[in-house]
Amino acid sequence: MRKIIVAIDGYSACGKSTTAKEVARILGYRYIDSGAMYRAVTYYFQQHHIALSNPREVDRALKNIKVTFKINSKGISETYLQGLNVEDPIRSMAVSHEVSQVSTLKPVREAMVAQQRKLGKQKGIVMDGRDIGTVVFPEADVKVFFTADLLVRAFRRQRELLDKETLIEVDTIIDNLVERDKIDSSRTESPLKKADGASTIDTTHITIDEQVDEVVRLAVAAMIRA
Ligand code: DC
């Protein structure tokens, strides 16, 4: 069967990554978390004290940054920066607070989009993010747009952080989600919006299994059409 590209976009903490990972596993496809790439860049900038207002510093840093993914012993994809596993630090609140700001920068987006397109060249990929169906792969065979109620998203993110033994008050998480939604949707470069032809999935009242089933159903239909 011909391999396809599945593009999943939407707001933070709507269940995109959880769904995308499982869909990729079922289809036997590669999963790429594009948000992790922007998080890794943000973490690098923080570690190297890169001034976002200095385009030369940003460009020099971007030439140096190497973000890769490796599958761990449990079959889960993890993010590496300069060859080091950064899966935990890139999920910290310190990175969450700055990542949307870093993601507004044109050179950052150009560098990441180029890498993402390379990763999708062979197809057989499920990628999630904010601009996958609109900018990275506008020709994707399946495009999905995830939304969910803000409070549900905040509690889900809180649970994810708790699983990593970090307790953050739900109000702090809500503030961060609202702030990121605003920056992600209103930026000039590749703002978050529903792609033409995308199917909306509201995950407020459905289970992860239902989300996964819906995307797999869309993917299989696209494979049959292809
Ligand atoms: O999916 P996430 O919450 O881990 O993404 C972190 C941030 O990265 C998000 O607030 C905006 C940015 N991002 C982006 O600008 N474009 C993407 N394709 C993916 C993420």
Side-chain angles (χ1 to χ4, degrees):
M1 207 177 276
R2 195 173 76 85
K3 288 193 168 175
I4 64 165
I5 292 180
V6 179
I8 302 182
D9 289 306
Y11 297 97
S12 314
C14 283
K16 298 186 304 288
S17 304
T18 314
T19 307
K21 261 180 227 163
E22 186 56 12
V23 170
R25 195 190 62 75
I26 291 169
L27 299 179
Y29 279 14
R30 187 149 186 225
Y31 162 63
I32 300 292
D33 175 354
S34 71
M37 299 171 78
Y38 290 94
R39 285 175 179 274
V41 169
T42 304
Y43 183 61
Y44 182 98
F45 283 4
Q46 289 177 341
Q47 295 291 304
H48 293 82
H49 308 287
I50 305 297
L52 301 188
S53 53
N54 184 334
R56 264 212 223 139
E57 256 185 55
V58 168
D59 278 344
R60 205 175 321 129
L62 284 171
K63 284 204 182 84
N64 219 358
I65 291 177
K66 202 162 183 291
V67 183
T68 48
F69 294 98
K70 268 190 220 163
I71 309 287
N72 71 14
S73 56
K74 291 180 187 145
I76 295 165
S77 172
E78 291 187 322
T79 315
Y80 284 71
L81 175 66
Q82 319 300 79
L84 291 176
N85 187 326
V86 289
E87 195 51 43
D88 280 343
I90 63 167
R91 310 287 165 191
S92 70
M93 282 309 276
V95 169
S96 294
H97 275 307
E98 225 186 335
V99 63
S100 283
Q101 207 54 51
V102 170
S103 309
T104 61
L105 301 176
K106 192 171 180 180
V108 170
R109 302 211 69 82
E110 284 173 350
M112 293 303 107
V113 170
Q115 285 198 30
Q116 289 153 9
R117 288 191 179 139
K118 242 190 234 167
L119 290 164
K121 235 182 175 161
Q122 312 292 328
K123 298 209 169 185
I125 196 167
V126 181
M127 193 178 289
D128 75 334
R130 304 293 185 292
D131 60 343
I132 311 305
T134 50
V135 174
V136 183
F137 299 122
E139 75 295 354
D141 309 79
V142 174
K143 298 183 197 177
V144 186
F145 190 79
F146 271 41
T147 66
D149 178 84
L150 179 63
L151 203 56
V152 170
R153 291 163 58 202
F155 280 120
R156 283 180 188 160
R157 181 49 53 87
Q158 189 185 45
R159 187 151 9 113
E160 254 173 44
L161 289 164
L162 251 181
D163 287 344
K164 294 190 170 155
E165 286 162 19
T166 309
L167 174 62
I168 308 278
E169 278 192 34
V170 85
D171 282 347
T172 308
I173 298 176
I174 290 177
D175 289 347
N176 177 252
L177 292 179
V178 169
E179 176 72 6
R180 286 207 285 143
D181 283 356
K182 196 167 117 207
I183 302 176
D184 294 349
S185 313
S186 62
R187 68 187 178 212
T188 323
E189 295 299 324
S190 317
L192 167 65
K193 61 174 186 221
K194 187 177 164 184
D196 286 342
S199 310
T200 299
I201 300 182
D202 182 335
T203 68
T204 308
H205 301 295
I206 60 174
T207 63
I208 291 170
D209 283 352
E210 287 169 322
Q211 291 160 208
V212 171
D213 283 354
E214 180 60 13
V215 181
V216 168
R217 192 185 63 74
L218 291 167
V220 170
M223 285 171 181
I224 293 168
R225 273 198 313 272

